[in-house]
Amino acid sequence: EQKQTINFGAGPAKLPQSVLLQAQKEFLSYSGIGISVLEMSHRSADFNKILNKTESLLRELVNIPDNYKVMFLQGGGSGQFSAVPLNLIGLKEGMCADYLVTGTWSSKAAKEAEKYGKVNVVHPKLESYTKIPDPGSWTLNPSASYVYYCCNETVHGVEFSFTPETNGVVLVADMSSNFLSRPVDVSKFGLIFAGAQKNVGCAGVTVVIVREDLLGHALKECPIVLDYKVQAEMNSLYNTPPCFSIYIMGLVLEWIKNNGGSAAMEMLNKQKSSMIYDIINASNGFYECPVDVTCRSRMNVPFRVGKKEGDEALEKEFLAGASKRGMISLKGHRSVGGIRASLYNAVTLEDTEALATYMKEFLKEHQ
Ligand code: PMP
């Protein structure tokens, strides 16, 4: 039976229907073995098969070179805000790192890194998180241990359409909210991490992809569960991993593969986001997206309703009307207000069309 509700949530977010059905089918007895994945030992042969399958699908879909390790860790994207400096800030003697701060998530990451070393924000502080400062204006520090950025700022809808050039300094990216939404050249990065609960699964597991030569530089105060060298050598099994979340990720990766991989996801995501941005652009300011056109996110489309700063009463009405049509979780993040439509991989073209149709009707009724 098809679900009627359309979930535009920013994460945890919609999962493909076929994945949920598969998980339901296997819930009580995985692959005929008589127990649930929830009940399995993480050291059993059955779980090992799940873990290895998930890793090999990920390697295939993201095209991960052999000199990179893949880990499935707990602690979420926020856990990685600490794990990155704890593992990498000691790469060079100066104990400093460069940060691009283009929204809430990179700002939080930079604050966390300040606990462990010197943080250099490479561009003038942004008044509002609506654009990416021109790379020509960045002052990168050649002796920084790494350069950190957030590829897609989920709250503000600001997405990089290019990979920052760091002149040989290790590049670290938070791809939590646009992982596998488009092809990526992993070889340009020292480290990529992504929480699963937006594009590749459910909460509980965070993927870390790290170049092998960066392992083994952790600070002595690094908690062992966050130590990349330990976790990489133990194949993410130093302690009990988030088994069920890894299993769900495996199912989602299979679904991505069956649907054409990252290139196909990118085509669809372009189509979906353009559909919504086109309506915003053609609305004569009734809908307003504050983000510069060069860095509008394909994953999270934020907009105000009514006038530039938004008309809160009208936005409430917009949300109530959406909810009546079964479209939920469209409220913008509490720090920015307004509306936010998250269009992750599992959100279909039809789902997006339903929102587009509603936006056009709402505009007609209220302009
Ligand atoms: N980075 C980004 C880009 C995010 O969107 C989020 C969560 N929305 C996080 C990090 C933090 O993830 P978590 O809640 O899993 O710690």
Side-chain angles (χ1 to χ4, degrees):
E1 169 198 348
Q2 195 67 26
K3 285 198 298 182
Q4 295 303 312
T5 304
I6 308 177
N7 181 4
F8 290 103
K14 184 176 175 184
L15 285 165
Q17 173 98 353
S18 62
V19 165
L20 293 174
L21 287 171
Q22 178 77 16
Q24 182 187 49
K25 203 172 111 203
E26 300 177 334
F27 190 68
L28 293 179
S29 173
Y30 174 76
S31 189
I33 65 170
I35 61 168
S36 172
V37 176
L38 287 169
E39 303 169 300
M40 242 179 224
S41 162
H42 59 295
R43 312 239 175 243
S44 65
D46 288 308
F47 183 70
N48 242 287
K49 258 191 251 160
I50 293 175
L51 185 63
N52 292 339
K53 185 198 80 175
T54 307
E55 176 171 343
S56 63
L57 273 168
L58 196 69
R59 284 190 176 274
E60 178 186 342
L61 290 169
V62 186
N63 200 9
I64 302 174
D66 288 343
N67 61 325
Y68 285 74
K69 294 283 190 191
V70 173
M71 291 171 276
F72 302 97
L73 304 182
Q74 306 197 47
S78 306
Q80 294 308 314
F81 296 166
S82 330
V84 164
L86 280 165
N87 281 276
L88 301 182
I89 206 152
L91 277 176
K92 292 187 190 163
E93 266 183 11
M95 301 284 283
C96 58
D98 279 354
Y99 276 72
L100 294 163
V101 177
T102 55
T104 302
W105 296 112
S106 46
S107 166
K108 286 189 183 209
K111 282 207 187 79
E112 192 63 14
E114 281 170 4
K115 293 181 183 170
Y116 309 106
K118 272 181 274 173
V119 167
N120 167 42
V121 178
V122 307
H123 53 80
K125 193 175 176 344
L126 293 168
E127 291 296 314
S128 63
Y129 293 130
T130 53
K131 63 173 188 208
I132 292 165
D134 177 40
S137 72
W138 303 353
T139 44
L140 296 168
N141 174 3
S143 49
S145 290
Y146 61 88
V147 178
Y148 180 105
Y149 79 114
C150 176
C151 212
N152 182 65
E153 285 285 358
T154 321
V155 172
H156 304 276
V158 172
E159 184 171 18
F160 278 74
S161 60
F162 62 95
T163 306
E165 175 52 63
T166 63
N167 305 314
V169 177
V170 168
L171 182 62
V172 175
D174 173 1
M175 292 193 187
S176 293
S177 52
N178 66 352
F179 193 57
L180 270 169
S181 71
R182 53 161 86 199
V184 163
D185 180 356
V186 175
S187 71
K188 290 185 172 167
F189 296 84
L191 186 144
I192 293 168
F193 72 84
Q197 67 267 30
K198 290 126 186 345
N199 266 320
V200 288
C202 64
V205 62
T206 304
V207 173
V208 178
I209 302 167
V210 60
R211 219 174 58 212
E212 270 167 0
D213 60 289
L214 303 177
L215 300 173
H217 298 274
L219 305 183
K220 67 174 187 327
E221 47 282 58
C222 180
I224 194 155
V225 291
L226 295 181
D227 188 320
Y228 293 147
K229 182 162 191 280
V230 172
Q231 289 285 17
E233 279 174 358
M234 304 281 295
N235 198 23
S236 307
L237 293 170
Y238 168 75
N239 64 329
T240 316
C243 303
F244 197 77
S245 303
I246 293 170
Y247 156 73
I248 293 289
M249 189 193 289
L251 296 182
V252 174
L253 295 177
E254 234 160 33
W255 174 85
I256 293 177
K257 182 176 171 174
N258 293 338
N259 283 278
S262 60
M265 294 296 126
E266 177 175 47
M267 255 174 55
L268 257 180
N269 290 327
K270 267 190 199 169
Q271 230 181 321
K272 288 171 347 194
S273 55
S274 305
M275 200 191 297
I276 303 302
Y277 285 122
D278 286 350
I279 293 170
I280 294 171
N281 294 342
S283 73
N284 268 323
F286 181 78
Y287 297 120
E288 184 87 29
C289 172
V291 181
D292 194 83
V293 289
T294 57
C295 54
R296 287 186 171 177
S297 170
R298 290 180 193 157
M299 298 283 97
N300 314 96
V301 181
F303 60 92
R304 304 299 311 233
V305 182
K307 61 179 180 351
K308 207 176 167 72
E309 289 81 33
D311 175 336
E312 280 182 25
L314 208 54
E315 284 171 344
K316 245 191 180 159
E317 196 183 325
F318 180 90
L319 291 170
S323 166
K324 256 194 205 140
R325 292 162 180 247
M327 293 183 274
I328 65 156
S329 297
L330 281 162
K331 198 170 191 307
H333 190 269
R334 60 194 182 280
S335 65
V336 293
I339 313 295
R340 172 176 52 174
S342 295
L343 308 173
Y344 299 125
N345 288 346
V347 174
T348 62
L349 213 47
E350 294 73 44
D351 293 341
T352 314
E353 275 159 3
L355 175 62
T357 303
Y358 173 58
M359 285 176 73
K360 283 189 222 158
E361 285 174 19
F362 193 84
L363 169 66
K364 225 189 222 161
E365 267 171 44
H366 291 89
Q367 72 183 346

